Amino acid sequence: MTSHQLGLQELQGYRKNEQVHEISPLVCITHDPEFFPNAADLSYILTKIPGEALFEFFQLLVKECVDCGIIVPGILIWDGQFIRSNCNNNKEKGKIKYNDPDAGYCRHNGIRKGVGYDPGILYAHCFNRWVPIYFKMFTGSRADIRAFRETMNEFFQTTTYEWEIVIADSGPYSLQNMKNMQHHGLVPIIRVRKHLKTHPIRELKKDFYFNTDFIPVGWSDELFLKIYSFRPMIEQGNSYNNTYYNAYRMNTRGIEAAIRNRSLIYILELLKALTAYKLGRPDLIMKPTAFENSRYFNFRMWLPVMARDSGYIFFNSSEEIRRRIKNYHGL
């Protein structure tokens, strides 16, 4: 989070900055003020944490956000986001798999994105905010129709809340998916490709086609399109992952690492939202750069350490209190 005010984009940049300032950027959160982990330390820790454990913690935070009113069950938005794996885009000669055997090659709307993963992601649209609540990891070669179906099926098995609407672009559209959403009591507001001649589609506005069989009776075109206009909110949420967390490309390989990568980002987003709520600052819930103090480079936190090293005595320190007790009792 501090990378944008300090101009740093990776861990090595922090280490170089530490050498210049002679102050660890983690001085305010570590027991040892001089400790700073290297890339090997972080890699070792992450390989020991199961992706499933991080995902479960993410789901616990979702529940807490619902209890606090940050997430209001009602409207779901589905989309995907490509995550580039740390491997070549070409298979080595004589091999049938990429260097990352779990990954797949992603082509989306004619654009070649490379080898990686493409999770199915669910956001909850809650009036003036939109929050990630679920995802399922797939290889980059997956199809939207199957990814939508499997993501929603898993989500319905785990959620305990009632949802009313699901919004998606034309990628996951199929009659089976539409009927499946109706079966679960949701109104599917999913765009349709205009070339589907056998389906009862209608153009509600220029280049926006929808299946009229799934428009609820009594809903006007304006209301239907107004709800569909919420769909870009998930794209804005997904853009934070690459803009603020540098999550476009992984520095590791494997679907387990991809699950950890995405879980950690969503955990951080929900923790910031909960912090904003508990501090009485709901205006910061949708601020990805909230709760930063990087412009001072933790200088305020470093001042007590500098004072102690220069000989200043803290009269409320544990050592000083023990000394006074010993002197008082003649020990």
Side-chain angles (χ1 to χ4, degrees):
M1 291 298 297
T2 61
S3 60
H4 303 280
Q5 292 186 8
L6 295 176
L8 306 176
Q9 296 296 328
E10 56 186 12
L11 181 66
Q12 190 62 28
Y14 285 101
R15 295 191 63 84
K16 293 179 179 178
N17 208 3
E18 178 190 13
Q19 296 173 3
V20 174
H21 292 271
E22 298 182 354
I23 299 175
S24 170
L26 302 180
V27 62
C28 60
I29 61 175
T30 55
H31 293 289
D32 183 357
E34 298 182 358
F35 171 75
F36 190 83
N38 55 33
D41 295 330
L42 295 178
S43 178
Y44 176 80
I45 293 172
L46 287 177
T47 56
K48 298 301 179 182
I49 302 177
E52 182 181 358
L54 292 174
F55 183 81
E56 289 179 0
F57 183 52
F58 164 48
Q59 292 301 289
L60 288 175
L61 292 177
V62 170
K63 182 180 183 302
E64 185 175 355
C65 286
V66 174
D67 295 339
C68 293
I70 298 173
I71 296 176
V72 181
I75 300 178
L76 294 168
I77 311 176
W78 184 93
D79 201 2
Q81 184 181 36
F82 176 69
I83 306 172
R84 179 81 159 79
S85 180
N86 188 25
C87 73
N88 294 329
N89 285 333
N90 299 311
K91 300 175 183 177
E92 294 184 0
K93 187 176 181 179
K95 293 186 177 181
I96 61 175
K97 292 186 177 182
Y98 297 100
N99 291 337
D100 184 349
D102 296 337
Y105 197 93
C106 178
R107 294 179 179 86
H108 184 69
N109 293 334
I111 301 175
R112 297 181 178 182
K113 295 192 173 183
V115 176
Y117 302 89
D118 196 354
I121 306 167
L122 281 173
Y123 269 64
H125 183 275
C126 314
F127 307 108
N128 61 345
R129 56 189 178 273
W130 37 97
V131 187
I133 60 171
Y134 197 84
F135 74 89
K136 178 176 173 58
M137 193 61 64
F138 297 93
T139 64
S141 57
R142 57 85 168 164
D144 281 345
I145 293 177
R146 180 179 66 88
F148 177 84
R149 183 185 308 128
E150 294 184 10
T151 303
M152 296 304 298
N153 287 341
E154 282 196 6
F155 176 71
F156 288 136
Q157 293 174 6
T158 59
T159 185
T160 58
Y161 308 106
E162 294 185 1
W163 301 89
E164 301 175 3
I165 297 171
V166 59
I167 307 171
D169 204 355
S170 59
Y173 175 83
S174 72
L175 283 180
Q176 180 181 353
N177 283 345
M178 300 290 280
K179 292 178 180 178
N180 188 34
M181 294 303 100
Q182 275 193 337
H183 174 73
H184 286 91
L186 275 71
V187 176
I189 303 182
I190 301 177
R191 196 171 165 183
V192 182
R193 294 184 178 90
K194 65 178 181 180
H195 68 272
L196 296 177
K197 303 300 182 182
T198 59
H199 296 189
I201 64 174
R202 182 161 61 91
E203 186 179 19
L204 299 189
K205 72 174 185 178
K206 183 175 175 57
D207 296 330
F208 282 76
Y209 297 84
F210 295 91
N211 190 324
T212 56
D213 286 347
F214 297 92
I215 299 178
V217 177
W219 282 32
S220 64
D221 293 352
E222 291 75 14
L223 174 61
F224 195 84
L225 290 171
K226 176 63 177 179
I227 298 176
Y228 182 77
S229 68
F230 300 153
R231 198 200 68 81
M233 306 306 181
I234 191 173
E235 295 182 350
Q236 180 178 345
N238 285 339
S239 69
Y240 292 161
N241 301 333
N242 297 339
T243 304
Y244 296 99
Y245 305 121
N246 296 323
Y248 173 75
R249 178 165 184 158
M250 301 163 50
N251 59 0
T252 53
R253 301 174 183 177
I255 193 168
E256 182 76 7
I259 294 173
R260 285 195 294 263
N261 176 284
R262 192 43 50 106
S263 296
L264 285 171
I265 290 176
Y266 291 155
I267 286 170
L268 181 58
E269 289 193 10
L270 295 187
L271 285 175
K272 288 191 296 182
L274 287 167
T275 302
Y277 169 80
K278 293 177 181 180
L279 289 176
R281 291 294 305 275
D283 57 304
L284 297 179
I285 290 178
M286 293 300 298
K287 302 293 184 181
T289 58
F291 310 113
E292 293 185 8
N293 197 31
S294 58
R295 66 184 61 188
Y296 301 105
F297 198 67
N298 295 321
F299 183 73
R300 293 175 177 174
M301 302 297 296
W302 186 251
L303 285 176
V305 179
M306 297 174 63
R308 182 194 61 198
D309 293 343
S310 65
Y312 183 82
I313 299 177
F314 290 88
F315 293 103
N316 61 342
S317 66
S318 57
E319 294 181 0
E320 179 64 19
I321 292 175
R322 284 196 295 268
R323 186 185 66 79
R324 289 188 176 189
I325 293 175
K326 289 180 179 180
N327 292 340
Y328 180 80
H329 294 283
L331 300 177

